[in-house]
Amino acid sequence: MTRPTFRARVKHSPARWARAVRVLRRSLLEIEVPVPLFLVRPLLSLVDAAIALWRNLFRLFVAEPVFRARCAIVGRGFRGSHFVHFVSGTGDIVVGSRVHLDGKCDIQFASILLTRPRLVFGDRTYVNHRCSFVVAREIVVGSDVYMAPGVRIMDSPGHPLDPAARLAKRPPTSDEVRPVNVGDNVWIGTESMIMPGVTIGDGAVIAARSVVTRDVPAYSLAAGAPARVVRNLAVPHEVRRDVEGPVCVEDGTRADRAVHTPGCEK
């Protein structure tokens, strides 16, 4: 039987000397040294400035050049972050003007079809941290789109729905790989998922943690898993409406302000 170490004896022994050592240790750990704020604040400013300088230098000379090298087209005013975006597989990335890819994003190209996969970001689009894209055919994100952290957009399910094909380790069929189109001025909430074949109309809003499995009409708010249209949003005056008068939302009710949704009329 091995003898306990000195540290174990101090920690567990009921002896008076061991208790005294434990009390002394706790007292030493709880010592606070009062430091005047006028001395700490300049130090804090220096630390913040050093971190900001390092991040900007890494962004300018490492992270952004590496991402630009992976893109087919990059517009003017592109801005990344001090993280290097993860890009796997082979495909075309088209970035519009003044696009901001913040934080770290994951882009995975799948070699399922004969055509080269394509990912497009429209002008002035903002993509937040931890957003991910799975592209086997095409994902098009419009202009002035806001994507909150953790959004995932995929045009491929990743695996076939047929159990036998999945057991045989076969990829999804071409019918299961369907392009995704996100319109202009769309806001997608935190950790939402946009599934294959979905089209989101201009001006739409997707609530946080929604799972969008079918098309979302323009200027509407969709929420839930699976996502459903819960209300219609006001249409800007400069937007020309295709059809006069109200149209339905998905539960069959009528809204005073809505835009035309093909196939939704009752």
Side-chain angles (χ1 to χ4, degrees):
M1 183 176 180
T2 59
R3 295 181 57 185
T5 62
F6 177 76
R7 183 176 180 180
R9 291 171 59 190
V10 170
K11 187 175 181 179
H12 301 289
S13 175
R16 182 176 301 177
W17 67 269
R19 291 198 300 268
V21 171
R22 290 196 292 268
V23 171
L24 177 62
R25 179 178 179 274
R26 283 195 298 268
S27 301
L28 292 175
L29 291 175
E30 293 174 358
I31 290 178
E32 295 182 3
V33 178
V35 180
L37 289 179
F38 72 89
L39 293 178
V40 177
R41 284 172 178 167
L43 179 61
L44 177 61
S45 299
L46 288 175
V47 171
D48 290 342
I51 293 174
L53 178 62
W54 176 85
R55 287 180 174 178
N56 278 284
L57 290 175
F58 192 85
R59 172 179 66 86
L60 289 172
F61 296 103
V62 179
E64 286 185 0
V66 167
F67 182 75
R68 287 176 180 271
R70 295 183 179 274
C71 297
I73 300 174
V74 179
R76 295 173 58 88
F78 167 75
R79 184 181 177 186
S81 73
H82 61 282
F83 290 102
V84 176
H85 299 298
F86 177 78
V87 181
S88 66
T90 304
D92 292 331
I93 304 175
V94 178
V95 180
S97 300
R98 297 173 59 189
V99 171
H100 187 181
L101 297 185
D102 202 0
K104 182 179 181 181
C105 300
D106 291 347
I107 300 173
Q108 302 176 39
F109 290 109
S111 301
I112 298 175
L113 307 177
L114 296 178
T115 57
R116 186 178 175 90
R118 187 167 179 260
L119 174 62
V120 179
F121 296 103
D123 297 341
R124 300 173 301 278
T125 285
Y126 176 79
V127 181
N128 213 319
H129 184 51
R130 293 190 302 104
C131 289
S132 60
F133 306 86
V134 178
V135 192
R137 188 188 297 271
E138 184 179 63
I139 294 177
V140 177
V141 179
S143 300
D144 301 296
V145 174
Y146 287 90
M147 296 177 60
V151 171
R152 183 174 179 84
I153 302 179
M154 50 200 305
D155 69 355
S156 168
H159 301 282
L161 298 179
D162 180 31
R166 214 166 41 244
L167 190 62
K169 310 299 181 184
R170 291 198 290 267
T173 64
S174 59
D175 294 334
E176 294 173 327
V177 179
R178 296 174 292 162
V180 175
N181 196 309
V182 178
D184 298 336
N185 194 22
V186 172
W187 177 19
I188 305 179
T190 302
E191 296 182 354
S192 294
M193 293 186 64
I194 314 300
M195 305 303 289
V198 167
T199 295
I200 301 177
D202 295 346
V205 176
I206 308 301
R209 296 185 176 179
S210 297
V211 180
V212 184
T213 59
R214 52 180 170 174
D215 293 354
V216 176
Y219 301 101
S220 62
L221 170 63
R228 297 180 180 276
V229 175
V230 296
R231 60 173 292 191
N232 292 290
L233 306 176
V235 182
H237 294 293
E238 62 271 15
V239 177
R240 184 176 180 179
R241 300 176 67 180
D242 296 330
V243 176
E244 296 295 333
V247 294
C248 67
V249 294
E250 292 187 9
D251 61 358
T253 61
R254 308 288 288 189
D256 293 334
R257 294 183 61 83
V259 295
H260 174 61
T261 306
C264 186
E265 297 83 351
K266 300 297 183 182

